[in-house]
């Protein structure tokens, strides 16, 4: 343990000469553990190596349980390194309740012989993260911010959220939720920017961030958002579970779909007031169609079953590029809207969450104003997804119509009135899903593939 105690410096950052050795000793463990994590985007590719970006000791490893915060560049073939956030606990012996979180025991280095594990399911370590956010300040490369001096009460309980997600979340006392981003990049993050802008504009049905953490590793550009604390909507059910429940009971879902259409429209209206908007003239529409076409071809390279459909789908994008008429309006959007991002609170109101956008796209691209119909297309795809396993295409069609009706009620603009734009965005989303499912959930690949088939063969863009 004497050696372990020596890893700490006065600021919480590891001495620069220690971080590489620490990471070298963790590397063999991370190689096995990382690809098994739902949030690891590089599955299926070799890991060439790891490089430390910032390593911070949040709780001393010399007095277990220790808590290490690591930002690590993961090097994989054919792409620039991706930086991941890891929160690792360190104990001499691991209690059996944490067996599932075990990463391994390094054989060398400052943690030699100690048990290293995912810190989030360990309540004292989860509590330590909340404690850091309650008292803002800096620690090494990490900065903890709590604007307006918000009072964040102590929590009696802390638990990781047990849902499929791209990041990781902790829930404190059913009062606050801490979302910890896993793949972190420099730049303004829409999952903080948009809910903050909506909160400042007085919009009530997007949980407002109350505290957050960023990293500013020296010489590595803009700050990176690491985590974000927001009120937990207790007793809420997400739209996906509610839709599944309705389908299993043989019930319709059009009332809910209409309410979701109205909720989407209200958020769009608030975003358009709070943040810059623009128009997309002919050159920008052509560029949009070209980007969609390029994504189609890259995805068809990676997923062979998409290839036969590529020409018909590309024709839809060509129709978009050739559109005459008024420029399309563009604004900030949610960017990855689906039923799982809509929470129905105990009072029956719908909350929208997770403004991160599609995690695979660069931050700058996600922050560009875009046609609002992009979110509409995301939700239309989601009704299709929900109905797929139940072989209930009529259920999906009714929901899709009710959703568009609800949207039009609030904005006065019916998304179905721009069928070429809507079809292009729906196709682009289905293509994104093909790649997403091929990488993360191959069993689900038939779901977006059936939409691809429909979009490539049907004349009617809204069916
Ligand atoms: N503020 C909140 N209140 C209640 N539940 C939430 C809240 N934010 C997220 N959740 C739950 O956590 C899940 C994952 O959150 P999300 O932001 O979509 O994470 P990710 O981007 O990692 O997928 C959601 O589907 C929802 O069930
Ligand atoms: O984890 P995120 O919420 O950021 O989004 C990613 O994962 C989603 C799945 O969990 C994925 O959504 C796709 O599957 C949903 C059903 O599980 C369906 O409702 C969506 O319509 C469909 O796109 C999403 O695309 C991905 O970015």
């Amino acid at each position: 343990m004497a050696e372990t105690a020596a890893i700490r410096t006065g600021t919480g950052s590891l001495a620069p000469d220690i971080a590489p050795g620490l990471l070298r000793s963790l590397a063999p463990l991370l190689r096995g553990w990382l690809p098994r994590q739902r949030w690891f985007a590089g599955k299926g590719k070799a890991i060439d190596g790891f490089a430390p970006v910032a390593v911070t000791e949040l709780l001393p490893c010399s007095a277990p349980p220790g808590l290490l915060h690591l930002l690590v560049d993961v090097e994989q073939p054919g792409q620039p390194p991706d930086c991941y956030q890891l929160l690792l606990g360190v104990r001499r012996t691991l209690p059996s309740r944490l067996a599932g979180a075990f990463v391994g025991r390094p054989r060398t280095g400052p943690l030699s012989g100690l048990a290293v594990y995912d810190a989030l399911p360990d309540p004292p370590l989860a509590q330590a993260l909340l404690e850091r956010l309650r008292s803002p300040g800096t620690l090494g490369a990490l900065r903890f911010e709590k604007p307006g001096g918000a009072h964040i009460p102590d929590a009696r309980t802390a638990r990781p959220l047990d849902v499929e997600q791209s990041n990781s979340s902790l829930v404190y006392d059913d009062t606050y939720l801490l979302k910890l981003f896993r793949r972190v990049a420099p730049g303004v993050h829409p999952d903080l920017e948009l809910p903050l802008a909506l909160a400042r504009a007085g919009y009530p049905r997007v949980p407002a961030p109350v505290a957050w953490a960023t990293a500013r590793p020296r010489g590595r550009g803009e700050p990176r958002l690491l985590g974000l604390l927001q009120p937990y909507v207790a007793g809420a059910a997400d739209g996906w579970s509610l839709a599944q429940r309705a389908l299993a009971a043989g019930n319709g879902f059009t009332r809910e779909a209409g309410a979701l259409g109205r909720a989407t429209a209200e958020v769009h209206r608030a975003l358009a007031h709070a943040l810059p908007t623009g128009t997309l003239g002919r050159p920008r529409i052509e560029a949009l169609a070209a980007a969609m076409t390029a994504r189609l071809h890259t995805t068809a390279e990676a997923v062979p079953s998409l290839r036969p459909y590529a020409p018909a789908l590309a024709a839809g994008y060509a129709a978009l590029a050739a559109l005459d008429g008024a420029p399309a309006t563009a604004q900030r959007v949610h960017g990855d809207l689906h039923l799982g991002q809509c929470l129905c609170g105990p009072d029956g109101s719908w909350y929208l969450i997770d403004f991160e956008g599609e995690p695979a796209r660069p931050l700058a691209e996600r922050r560009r104003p875009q046609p609002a119909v992009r979110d509409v297309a995301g939700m239309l795809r989601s009704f299709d997804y929900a109905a797929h396993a139940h072989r209930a295409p009529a259920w999906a069609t009714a929901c899709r119509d009710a959703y568009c009706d609800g949207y039009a009620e609030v904005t006065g603009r019916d998304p179905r009135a721009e069928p070429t734009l809507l079809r292009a965005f729906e196709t682009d989303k289905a293509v994104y899903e093909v790649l997403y499912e091929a990488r993360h959930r191959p069993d689900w690949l038939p779901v977006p593939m059936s939409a691809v088939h429909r979009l490539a063969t049907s004349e009617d863009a809204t069916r």
Side-chain angles (χ1 to χ4, degrees), residues 49-248:
F50 300 96
V53 174
V55 183
T56 313
E57 199 176 30
L58 287 172
L59 290 177
C61 298
S62 53
L67 177 56
L68 282 179
H69 181 277
L70 280 85
L71 289 178
V72 178
D73 269 346
V74 179
E75 291 150 5
Q76 296 196 276
Q79 62 178 64
D82 272 329
C83 179
Y84 284 89
Q85 171 173 221
L86 309 181
L87 284 142
L88 299 179
V90 176
R91 285 176 181 258
R92 287 194 190 92
T93 45
L94 200 63
S96 56
R97 64 186 162 78
L98 291 173
F102 186 57
V103 177
R105 282 182 194 272
R107 289 163 183 242
T108 58
L111 303 178
S112 172
L114 296 171
V116 173
Y117 60 100
D118 178 17
L120 303 195
D122 197 359
L125 303 188
Q127 294 277 11
L129 292 174
L130 181 67
E131 216 32 60
R132 275 308 327 185
L133 286 162
R134 293 178 70 218
S135 44
T138 57
L139 184 68
L142 310 186
R143 178 179 292 184
F144 301 90
E145 297 179 53
K146 192 180 71 161
H151 172 68
I152 302 168
D154 220 354
R156 276 170 294 109
T157 62
R159 63 177 168 94
L161 200 65
D162 186 19
V163 296
E164 282 247 313
Q165 63 174 133
S166 304
N167 299 287
S168 300
S169 300
L170 288 166
V171 178
Y172 297 98
D173 278 356
D174 277 4
T175 308
Y176 285 103
L177 178 139
L178 173 60
K179 177 168 177 178
L180 293 156
F181 297 95
R182 288 305 195 162
R183 198 148 55 114
V184 297
V188 177
H189 198 295
D191 211 2
L192 176 60
E193 183 193 21
L194 298 191
L196 258 192
L198 288 168
R200 286 174 182 153
Y203 187 78
R205 282 185 301 282
V206 167
V210 292
W212 51 89
T214 52
R216 293 153 200 256
R218 197 167 298 149
R220 300 259 194 162
E222 286 183 80
R224 302 160 192 232
L225 183 66
L226 301 176
L228 148 57
L229 189 73
Q230 55 179 271
Y232 181 70
V233 186
D238 70 84
W240 177 260
S241 321
L242 292 176
Q244 290 302 319
R245 217 178 289 164
L247 278 156

